[in-house]
Amino acid sequence: PDSARGTRLREALETLGPVFIKFGQLLSTRRDLLPDDIADELALLQDTVPPFPTGEAIARIEQSLGGPIDSLFAELEHTPLAAASVAQVHSATLPSGESVVVKVLRPNIEKTIRADLRVIKQLAFWLGTLTRDGRRLRPREVAADYERTLLDELDLRREAGNASQLRRNFLGSGLLYVPEVHWPLVTEQVMVSERISGIPVSDVDALRAQGVDMKRLAERGVEIFFTQVFRDGFFHADMHPGNIF
């Protein structure tokens, strides 16, 4: 049945690994290209990828931040708030009482991604060699660019720096609120930032129930992106619904 094909595709991408999960995330935003049943299933890849064990997450946090979890946080939720292809997120409370989210990289993620990238680069080589369209699309250059982007994601200090810059660009703006990064709790493998709450932009029913003006919301979404691109020259390049409340 149609309902099963989307599930099979999502599960296949999850099995193949992080690089392919990211490809599914990208496809899930293109409802102009996909049937609804497939798009709905792939949308689950945005923040509901199977998590890794909490014990491993805690061990990695303690190792990276250099202290026992009880001294770093007043409380840390063992059930992940969200799990994605490269990292997962736990909600926590700082000793000061502030609510935060703790992002931690998956174990052995670099080794897994490099193995996946070797497959993609090999496919790109054959595509560029064997077909005329393949040569025109320059798949090897595309694969190389994808490799740089993915490997950058394996250093959460880069993400923290980007988030802090985006926050500075919109301080005092009524258009967009960007969570604050807690820099003393940021390493290559762990990133702690302010926790905010909201309705995912894809949950249209909940937005309407709250009386949100959908036309104004759409206009603001466009204005936010164009402001990033044309005013700042610095923009969020992964604005799927899992990232926008």
Side-chain angles (χ1 to χ4, degrees), residues 33-81:
L33 301 177
L34 297 176
D36 285 344
D37 62 295
I38 292 179
D40 288 344
E41 275 293 328
L42 293 183
L44 297 176
L45 295 173
Q46 291 167 5
D47 55 12
T48 56
V49 177
F52 62 91
T54 298
E56 293 184 33
I58 290 174
R60 175 158 287 205
I61 292 167
E62 291 180 330
Q63 181 181 21
S64 294
L65 297 181
I69 206 76
D70 291 342
S71 68
L72 296 166
F73 304 100
E75 184 180 3
L76 184 134
E77 291 290 335
H78 280 229
T79 301
L81 190 63

Side-chain angles (χ1 to χ4, degrees), residues 117-241:
L117 286 169
R118 283 195 294 271
V119 174
I120 284 178
K121 287 192 285 186
Q122 188 65 42
L123 291 172
F125 171 79
W126 288 114
L127 180 62
T129 302
L130 298 177
T131 71
R132 181 181 302 171
D133 278 344
R135 288 189 293 274
R136 177 176 61 82
L137 295 171
R138 300 165 67 185
R140 280 179 282 185
E141 288 89 339
V142 172
D145 185 60
Y146 192 38
E147 178 179 38
R148 284 192 297 272
T149 300
L150 277 174
L151 293 180
D152 278 352
E153 287 193 37
L154 301 184
D155 186 346
L156 293 181
R157 294 170 300 186
R158 289 179 180 269
E159 179 173 340
N162 290 336
S164 294
Q165 180 63 57
L166 192 64
R167 177 179 170 83
R168 285 192 293 271
N169 290 348
F170 282 87
L171 275 179
S173 168
L175 289 174
L176 180 68
Y177 184 85
V178 181
E180 181 179 5
V181 174
H182 290 268
W183 275 99
L185 299 174
V186 173
T187 68
E188 184 177 354
Q189 297 184 352
V190 175
M191 171 180 161
V192 177
S193 58
E194 175 188 7
R195 182 176 183 182
I196 62 172
S197 59
I199 302 169
V201 73
S202 58
D203 193 344
V204 175
D205 291 339
L207 291 170
R208 285 184 172 143
Q210 290 292 320
V212 172
D213 183 333
M214 303 303 286
K215 181 176 183 293
R216 190 178 184 197
L217 178 62
E219 290 170 350
R220 284 191 165 191
V222 173
E223 184 180 351
I224 287 167
F225 185 71
F226 282 180
T227 299
Q228 292 176 67
V229 173
F230 295 115
R231 185 193 71 183
D232 304 326
F234 185 89
F235 60 92
H236 195 304
D238 194 21
M239 291 177 63
H240 66 67

